[in-house]
Amino acid sequence: MKQRALLVGPRNSGKHVIAQALENSPTSLRRVANIVYYDQTIIVPDSYLESPWMHKHVIALQQSAKNGLFLQPVTATRRSYPPNFAKAFRIPILGVVTFFESCEQSALLQAKEQLLACGITEKIICVDLADPQAIKELKKHLQ
């Protein structure tokens, strides 16, 4: 079975931008309301994260994943992940704070705090989705 990167995040967190880069796809990936398996990634729709009764399905996806990316946009104002959600996973989970072009330091700290509250003990990195070099750095972290 092919091992993929699991991409989990709320609405407008950049899941499809990161998946497109990981897949090396020249065209944008289709947005659908269900879990999508690609060659290198598994994209979990934001509705699965918003619904508590769907969390068990997200956790079960770790069977098909080699690592997970929990995305947190700096623009999010409410908590996206339940407390200690990342601790339910046995695969390495990387926290990724996403933004476009620039962000305020206070918003960046708030996004990092939300990822820490969901139980991420590994590294938390910040990625500018408008910068191709930042996405290449993210790919290196996944290797």
Side-chain angles (χ1 to χ4, degrees), residues 94 125-127 132-142:
L94 179 66
I125 61 172
C126 300
V127 176
Q133 185 61 33
I135 295 177
K136 285 181 184 177
E137 290 293 323
L138 176 63
K139 282 183 177 182
K140 288 180 185 176
H141 284 287
L142 292 176

Side-chain angles (χ1 to χ4, degrees), residues 47-105:
S47 60
Y48 279 52
L49 191 58
E50 294 170 359
S51 305
W53 54 88
M54 298 302 279
H55 292 167
K56 61 186 171 195
H57 300 292
V58 177
I59 294 168
L61 286 173
Q62 71 181 321
Q63 296 175 18
S64 303
K66 65 180 173 187
N67 51 26
L69 293 175
F70 278 20
L71 308 176
Q72 180 65 41
V74 295
T75 56
T77 56
R78 66 183 195 99
R79 291 211 179 267
S80 304
Y81 300 97
N84 294 321
F85 184 60
K87 292 186 178 180
F89 291 81
R90 292 185 322 244
I91 59 174
I93 300 293
L94 179 66
V96 181
V97 176
T98 59
F99 59 92
F100 283 98
E101 297 186 8
S102 66
C103 66
E104 293 182 15
Q105 192 66 20

Side-chain angles (χ1 to χ4, degrees), residues 15-37:
K15 291 185 299 273
H16 286 86
V17 174
I18 292 173
Q20 182 177 349
L22 293 175
E23 295 291 335
N24 294 322
S25 175
T27 60
S28 62
L29 302 176
R30 218 170 43 145
R31 297 180 194 278
V32 293
N34 53 2
I35 296 169
V36 181
Y37 287 78

